Amino acid sequence: RLKGLPPAPGLRPSPPMLARSRLPAALPLRRLLSTKAIPPPKLFDYATVTSHIHVSDAISAVEAAFGALARGKVDVPFPMHIGIDETASAGPGDCHIKGGYVSGESTWTVKLACVSFYKNVADGLPPGGGIFVVMNAKNGAPLAVIQENRFLTDVRTGAAGGISVKYLTKPTDKTVGFIGTGAIAKSMARATAAVRPGFTGFAYGADAEMAQSFCDEMRAELGCEFTAVGSAEELCASAKVVFTQTPGSATVLERSMLQPGSTVIASGSDQPTKQELPVDLLANCKYVCDLVGQVSKVGELRSALAAGAMTEADVYAELGQVVNGDKPGREGDEIIVCDLTGTGAQDAAIGQVAWEKLSKL
């Protein structure tokens, strides 16, 4: 940001302790002209990353990052979005750029997550890719370029889901539903198993065969019973905890479908064009989110603000405030919605976790 300009809308200003350092006036010129080379970053390929990093590794680090974020101890810029329009030589697709630094940590991270390159499927490729760049927070040198193809993004998103289950549901809530059964749903299921072992799972998706495959894989991996159901209504009638992770702009459930005391954890909306939950649900629930300044622009809150049904003052809490104990989470049979758009704080946390594990190989 240029000096003298106000912060962009939605940005949380950096706390004073994270202000940019200034170059000492008396620094000798010979030090500025140093020819000592910075070591090249290590490169970790996708196979190495996926075989060594797990959702369970990330939960405590991401939980701590949410707490730090709520205390103003994370420098996290507003996400950048690059749209790749469809032409003869490109697209269609999207690139999301996020990053952040958690005060006191030894690294910071910038991430490029590329999604919705659906033409890849015809070539036998996944519909996107991505890298994490992990930086040395002491000297600004690049430590690692991690080819993760959105795997680490899914891991840190799943960790946020597990933390939401931990703080926003009752310990007795052991029926868990998944609307949308792709990679993020699997990460959410793994994280839920880490904080609520032995739950019973239900799944619904537009592709019934894919939903059944999800259930079969998760049953075998987690040792939990999973059942594919025929509608979102049937799923909500069966589950007290409902995860939604769909890529479209159409709502996937109705307020009337939910049981008293239900918790909806929504992670599909990360662009202004997306919406998973109806406005009347958002306006009549205990609404928790990862970052107010972000969900108001690209999360579920955006649609409620546009409809005039909510203001930012109607947000009950950011997840980090609940983690820190500043506000209680689950208190009774209220409906709770947790809106997860994904923050740079999570990327910084999983970047640190990945570096600590991978650098020892």
Side-chain angles (χ1 to χ4, degrees):
R1 182 162 65 88
L2 296 177
K3 185 176 181 181
L5 293 180
L11 281 176
R12 171 173 290 167
S14 299
M17 52 99 48
L18 292 178
R20 293 182 178 87
S21 59
R22 296 183 180 276
L23 186 68
L27 193 65
L29 179 61
R30 64 180 179 275
R31 290 177 61 188
L32 293 176
L33 299 178
S34 172
T35 58
K36 186 176 181 180
I38 290 176
K42 293 184 177 182
L43 176 63
F44 298 100
D45 65 16
Y46 181 73
T48 301
V49 175
T50 56
S51 61
H52 289 87
I53 307 297
H54 309 284
V55 175
S56 56
D57 299 325
I59 292 175
S60 61
V62 172
E63 183 175 338
F66 274 124
L69 183 63
R71 294 193 303 272
K73 300 293 186 181
V74 182
D75 195 2
V76 53
F78 195 75
M80 180 189 297
H81 171 252
I82 301 173
I84 313 300
D85 61 313
E86 184 174 5
T87 64
S89 58
D94 297 281
C95 177
H96 302 279
I97 304 171
K98 296 180 180 179
Y101 173 63
V102 180
S103 177
E105 296 294 345
S106 61
T107 69
W108 54 279
T109 294
V110 176
K111 175 195 75 176
L112 283 78
C114 301
V115 299
S116 303
F117 286 81
Y118 295 119
K119 284 187 175 180
N120 286 3
V121 176
D123 297 324
L125 298 172
I131 62 169
F132 271 57
V133 180
V134 180
M135 306 291 294
N136 187 317
K138 186 174 183 178
N139 61 20
L143 293 171
V145 176
I146 303 174
Q147 182 204 18
E148 47 85 49
N149 294 346
R150 301 197 71 246
F151 174 78
L152 292 182
T153 294
D154 293 342
V155 166
R156 59 82 151 149
T157 301
I163 294 160
S164 301
V165 171
K166 177 179 177 179
Y167 286 96
L168 303 178
T169 72
K170 296 178 181 178
T172 53
D173 290 342
K174 290 200 170 187
T175 50
V176 182
F178 301 86
I179 298 178
T181 56
I184 293 178
K186 294 175 184 178
S187 191
M188 294 294 191
R190 291 168 181 136
T192 300
V195 300
R196 189 69 48 81
F199 72 88
T200 299
F202 300 88
Y204 169 70
D207 185 329
E209 185 176 339
M210 182 176 175
Q212 185 60 56
S213 177
F214 167 83
C215 289
D216 294 342
E217 181 179 347
M218 292 296 96
R219 184 186 303 111
E221 179 181 332
L222 303 178
C224 299
E225 185 57 42
F226 274 81
T227 302
V229 298
S231 67
E233 185 172 11
E234 184 180 354
L235 183 142
C236 292
S238 303
K240 292 291 290 290
V241 182
V242 178
F243 285 95
T244 65
Q245 48 276 315
T246 61
S249 58
T251 57
V252 298
L253 56 78
E254 300 298 331
R255 178 188 172 199
S256 60
M257 296 178 182
L258 298 171
Q259 305 176 47
S262 291
T263 303
V264 180
I265 302 168
S267 62
S269 183
D270 58 3
Q271 296 180 41
T273 57
K274 294 182 179 181
Q275 179 183 355
E276 291 191 297
L277 305 180
V279 168
D280 70 322
L281 169 59
L282 300 171
N284 293 278
C285 71
K286 178 187 282 186
Y287 176 86
V288 180
C289 65
D290 49 15
L291 188 58
V292 174
Q294 191 165 292
V295 296
S296 63
K297 304 298 187 300
V298 299
E300 298 297 330
L301 182 61
R302 176 199 56 79
S303 58
L305 295 177
M310 292 178 70
T311 68
E312 289 189 12
D314 294 318
V315 175
Y316 171 72
E318 290 184 349
L319 184 56
Q321 292 176 291
V322 180
V323 168
N324 291 339
D326 299 327
K327 290 192 173 182
R330 169 65 59 185
E331 296 178 275
D333 285 332
E334 73 272 32
I335 301 294
I336 297 179
V337 168
C338 186
D339 189 0
L340 301 174
T341 53
T343 71
Q346 294 163 254
D347 295 319
I350 190 61
Q352 175 94 21
V353 169
W355 170 247
E356 289 176 351
K357 292 199 73 175
L358 298 176
S359 62
K360 296 174 181 176
L361 297 177

